[in-house]
Amino acid sequence: MTEATASLLAPLLRLLFPARGRHRRGAGPRHRAVPAPGREAARRPAPPPLRGEDNALVRPYLLAHERKEEARRQRARRRALWLAVHGVDVGPRVIHGVEVTA
């Protein structure tokens, strides 16, 4: 008999008592009161305008160009190393200000 009573009262008790766990509604107000724009808004100075020098954002096409140039230089270094391993010298033409001839 107690099981039948409990099964009948369980839905009613779920409606009356708050849920348990992290989804329980708090005891505080549902929303915060927003102060009306008045004296406080007038007292605060306006933030200074953003300067481009202070901003860390960079245009993506500038970064792409720099990456492409660095990749080109890296390929040239690897190609020179590969050729040097096989006995072909493709090093710099000018060393310490003096032109090197073959």
Side-chain angles (χ1 to χ4, degrees), residues 20-92:
R20 294 176 302 185
R22 62 186 269 194
H23 297 288
R24 179 176 43 214
R25 189 177 300 165
R30 286 184 155 177
H31 56 52
R32 294 185 313 175
V34 179
R39 290 182 233 138
E40 286 189 26
R43 279 189 222 159
R44 280 187 240 141
L50 294 176
R51 296 180 357 173
E53 298 84 23
D54 298 338
N55 198 345
L57 297 177
V58 178
R59 306 252 183 219
Y61 55 85
L62 293 176
L63 291 177
H65 176 70
E66 289 176 3
R67 286 185 190 129
K68 215 181 285 186
E69 288 296 315
E70 180 58 33
R72 185 187 61 75
R73 287 191 296 268
Q74 181 67 30
R75 279 194 310 271
R77 288 192 299 265
R78 287 181 180 160
R79 188 180 311 116
L81 181 61
W82 186 84
L83 289 170
V85 167
H86 293 287
V88 180
D89 184 24
V90 292

Side-chain angles (χ1 to χ4, degrees), residues 1-11:
M1 182 74 174
T2 58
E3 291 177 12
T5 307
S7 66
L8 290 175
L9 290 178

